[in-house]
Amino acid sequence: EVQLVESGGDLVQPGGTLRLSCAASGFTFSDYWMVWVRQVPGKGLEWVSRINPAGSFISHAGSVRGRFTVSRDNAGNSLYLQMNSLRAEDTAVYYCARDGPATGVDLDHWGQGTLVTVSS
Amino acid sequence: QSALTQPASMSASPGQRITISCTGSSNDIGRYNFVSWYQQHPGRAPKLIIYGVSTRPSGISDRFSGSKSGNTASLTISGLQAEDEAHYYCSSYITSDSVVFGGGTKVAVL
């Protein structure tokens, strides 16, 4: 069974840093693109970052580019999101998701999410 | 990249059919056949219900169907059931480094 478990969400002050983790199991992690998506409570979904299987290609949404960095450890079956210079508008539930085998971006498995709150 | 446009809410009675639209542009929906739809119940993670415009993942009811015409994609739910009450989000692949979601549609079953 595919499982994705996020951790690392917390209350942090503006300008602070946080590192989110996503532990993957039940599939060959190194075969899949992985994605971070966030959702402000009560609002819609926003794509944050995407990384290829080898970790050699990464991309970020304009709203986080230069502040957030996605990475992965295929040996440890883990996905990470390093979040720097956090702002109040980064407050959201952060989901990691697996990008399915079909061409395009189809997020076929999601974690339960981890809440990041940026506030003084 | 602007979000795709969806109606904020829709409602219908059990057994009826409902169609949710998702409007983008020639840079996203109009260019690629890579539209996905997600269902999200309150307090839960989103669930993929359609990908590649019209393909259902294994285990998804055939009451859900997807289509596309020009810059607009659509999700149709047939034989509406109480369990279908949820938020629905469309998304489109743009390039290898970008994905865009719709603002979401809340579906109410009357």
Side-chain angles (χ1 to χ4, degrees):
Chain A
E1 178 193 4
V2 172
Q3 283 200 320
L4 298 168
V5 180
E6 302 95 336
S7 60
D10 204 349
L11 170 64
V12 61
Q13 292 189 339
T17 65
L18 209 57
R19 189 193 198 202
L20 305 184
S21 300
C22 173
S25 61
F27 65 103
T28 304
F29 180 70
S30 57
D31 284 349
Y32 290 85
W33 289 73
M34 296 295 295
V35 166
W36 286 100
V37 174
R38 68 184 180 183
Q39 184 173 36
V40 174
K43 302 297 184 183
L45 303 172
E46 180 187 11
W47 168 74
V48 174
S49 302
R50 190 168 180 242
I51 186 168
N52 72 336
S56 57
F57 178 87
I58 64 175
S59 60
H60 299 91
S63 57
V64 306
R65 194 170 297 137
R67 300 187 299 121
F68 291 11
T69 302
V70 61
S71 63
R72 65 192 296 160
D73 172 9
N74 285 342
N77 294 328
S78 294
L79 177 72
Y80 303 103
L81 186 66
Q82 179 66 42
M83 310 166 69
N84 299 331
S85 302
L86 282 160
R87 306 168 179 168
E89 54 265 35
D90 296 320
T91 294
V93 174
Y94 285 74
Y95 295 100
C96 71
R98 188 182 85 167
D99 188 353
T103 305
V105 179
D106 48 291
L107 306 179
D108 62 353
H109 290 277
W110 296 62
Q112 84 290 348
T114 187
L115 178 62
V116 173
T117 303
V118 184
S119 175
S120 55
Chain B
Q1 178 67 38
S2 300
L4 306 175
T5 301
Q6 298 180 232
S9 63
M10 302 184 73
S11 61
S13 299
Q16 291 189 323
R17 183 172 65 184
I18 194 169
T19 298
I20 303 169
S21 62
C22 171
T23 301
S25 71
S26 58
N27 292 322
D28 39 64
I29 293 176
R31 175 171 292 183
Y32 303 102
N33 289 323
F34 300 142
V35 177
S36 297
W37 289 89
Y38 301 88
Q39 177 192 61
Q40 186 179 34
H41 288 106
R44 303 294 298 274
K47 177 182 180 181
L48 180 68
I49 58 173
I50 293 286
Y51 68 94
V53 175
S54 60
T55 302
R56 285 186 307 276
S58 174
I60 299 301
S61 171
D62 59 5
R63 297 186 299 104
F64 294 94
S65 62
S67 63
K68 188 187 90 166
S69 177
N71 297 337
T72 298
S74 298
L75 172 71
T76 297
I77 310 173
S78 303
L80 199 64
Q81 299 179 1
E83 68 207 48
D84 299 331
E85 186 161 292
H87 278 87
Y88 292 84
Y89 296 92
C90 61
S91 77
S92 177
Y93 172 93
I94 301 176
T95 64
S96 60
D97 63 357
S98 190
V99 176
V100 63
F101 285 96
T105 299
K106 182 176 182 179
V107 169
V109 180
L110 303 174

